[in-house]
Amino acid sequence: MNSDKSEKTIYSIDSVAAGYKHEGKWLKSTLRPVVQPIYNTSIYFVPSSAVAEAIISEKEPGYLYARLCNPTNDACADIIAQLEGAEGGTLLTSSGMAAVSLVLLTFLKSGDHLVCQFPIYSRAIKFIEDILLANNVEVSWVDSNEPVETFEKAIKPNTKMAYVETPCNPKMSVQDFSLFGGLTRRHPKLLVVVDGTFASAYLQQPLKYGLHISIHSCSKYMGGHSDIIAGCVSFANEELMRKARWHLTLLGSALSASDASLLHRSLKTLPVRMEKHSINAMHVAKFLAQHSK
């Protein structure tokens, strides 16, 4: 994790009000609500089947069905995409595990090889063991304390993805994004995925270092109030985003509009909360460093 204060994400009017940049798609009236409305509708009116087809094929902006997209979700996702520096955009999912499983199922298939840090979140490990291995995806585990060179040595001709979690659960090991950025340049066909849940998109933005996909369980710091279960996935480019978005509609694990509204609310206080968390953590670290035990 590269968390130099000079590189920390700064909130701006552009990030806080990112959703309003897409008014042609999701807000065609002259209203400008301070709080993003919750669109609880499941379906949307379209004037003709031709318009519906244009929306489905993404030739025209618009909405048809809430499982596919929702204005409340899109406004929230736009803010996270700006925080992450995600040129491909961000998808919201119904949980952190929905985000993890979306990425693994979208970009890995039978015969592929995954290089994965160990440990990572326990249920992500179980997903890999129970789902990926059962579907003939090969996995090589690399200890979280090992340098990036060890990850590189594990790469095979069929390796499609390297998956890391930083800070990792539960060991709190930290990876250096700049070194993994070098890995992507030496292996251009390799996807590098980062679960950054324990730092949030405020303290670290791996996509800015040349990595490809950033995952968060928004139930933790991004949500911050223990009142939502949510996840998000941000992408370095639109090609990755489009592939994952199609799979998200098939898996049916999109976030509800109500939860997206709560997450949107939480993002407004994310910088204040994370600054205070960081100050408190430093106090604890200094105390433990001086403790006799």
Side-chain angles (χ1 to χ4, degrees):
M1 176 175 66
N2 299 71
S3 57
D4 188 315
K5 199 141 182 102
S6 65
E7 297 181 356
K8 190 175 295 181
T9 296
I10 304 299
Y11 265 35
S12 65
I13 285 295
D14 285 342
S15 61
V16 171
Y20 291 109
K21 293 187 175 182
H22 301 278
E23 70 172 72
K25 179 176 181 181
W26 66 268
L27 188 60
K28 295 187 178 180
S29 75
T30 58
L31 297 174
R32 292 295 185 271
V34 174
V35 177
Q36 166 66 21
I38 301 174
Y39 286 78
N40 278 326
T41 183
S42 59
I43 58 174
Y44 297 82
F45 172 81
V46 290
S48 68
S49 59
V51 172
E53 178 59 34
I55 294 173
I56 292 173
S57 62
E58 299 185 358
K59 294 178 181 178
E60 290 187 13
Y63 296 89
L64 289 174
Y65 190 53
R67 178 169 52 81
L68 308 179
C69 53
N70 179 290
T72 308
N73 293 41
D74 286 355
C76 180
D78 286 343
I79 294 174
I80 296 174
Q82 288 213 9
L83 293 176
E84 293 270 30
E87 295 182 6
T90 295
L91 296 173
L92 303 184
T93 62
S94 56
S95 69
M97 274 307 302
V100 171
S101 58
L102 172 65
V103 170
L104 295 177
L105 290 175
T106 297
F107 298 104
L108 294 172
K109 65 181 186 305
S110 177
D112 288 343
H113 176 238
L114 166 68
V115 178
C116 190
Q117 172 189 299
F118 187 91
I120 54 176
Y121 176 54
S122 61
R123 289 301 176 262
I125 293 174
K126 291 302 293 181
F127 184 90
I128 291 170
E129 292 177 341
D130 293 357
I131 305 298
L132 293 189
L133 291 178
N135 285 277
N136 197 35
V137 174
E138 185 183 356
V139 180
S140 296
W141 299 99
V142 177
D143 188 89
S144 60
N145 290 325
E146 289 292 322
V148 69
E149 290 79 10
T150 306
F151 284 85
E152 188 162 22
K153 289 178 182 178
I155 293 174
K156 302 179 179 182
N158 62 330
T159 302
K160 292 301 188 327
M161 180 186 294
Y163 186 105
V164 299
E165 184 178 285
T166 181
C168 83
N169 183 356
K171 289 175 65 175
M172 304 306 293
S173 303
V174 175
Q175 302 295 343
D176 189 323
F177 293 148
S178 61
L179 296 180
F180 276 89
L183 188 66
T184 65
R185 291 188 290 274
R186 294 190 296 275
H187 302 272
K189 293 184 179 181
L190 179 72
L191 279 179
V192 177
V193 178
V194 177
D195 183 335
T197 294
F198 274 13
S200 85
Y202 178 69
L203 294 180
Q204 62 182 33
Q205 302 86 36
L207 303 187
K208 294 181 180 180
Y209 293 84
L211 311 189
H212 302 101
I213 298 174
S214 175
I215 296 172
H216 291 275
S217 168
C218 297
S219 315
K220 313 304 188 296
Y221 290 124
M222 298 279 275
H225 294 79
S226 299
D227 56 5
I228 57 171
I229 298 295
C232 67
V233 187
S234 299
F235 302 89
N237 61 64
E238 191 172 351
E239 181 181 358
L240 296 174
M241 163 71 155
R242 286 177 178 272
K243 187 173 183 180
R245 183 168 58 194
W246 173 241
H247 282 214
L248 179 62
T249 67
L250 299 179
L251 292 170
S253 52
L255 189 64
S256 72
S258 295
D259 284 335
S261 177
L262 289 174
L263 178 56
H264 195 157
R265 166 219 60 187
S266 297
L267 294 173
K268 296 176 182 179
T269 62
L270 182 63
V272 178
R273 292 187 286 107
M274 296 312 297
E275 290 286 355
K276 188 61 176 177
H277 283 312
S278 298
I279 291 170
N280 291 345
M282 182 58 71
H283 283 308
V284 173
K286 288 180 177 179
F287 171 80
L288 293 175
Q290 297 172 2
H291 199 278
S292 59
K293 293 184 180 180

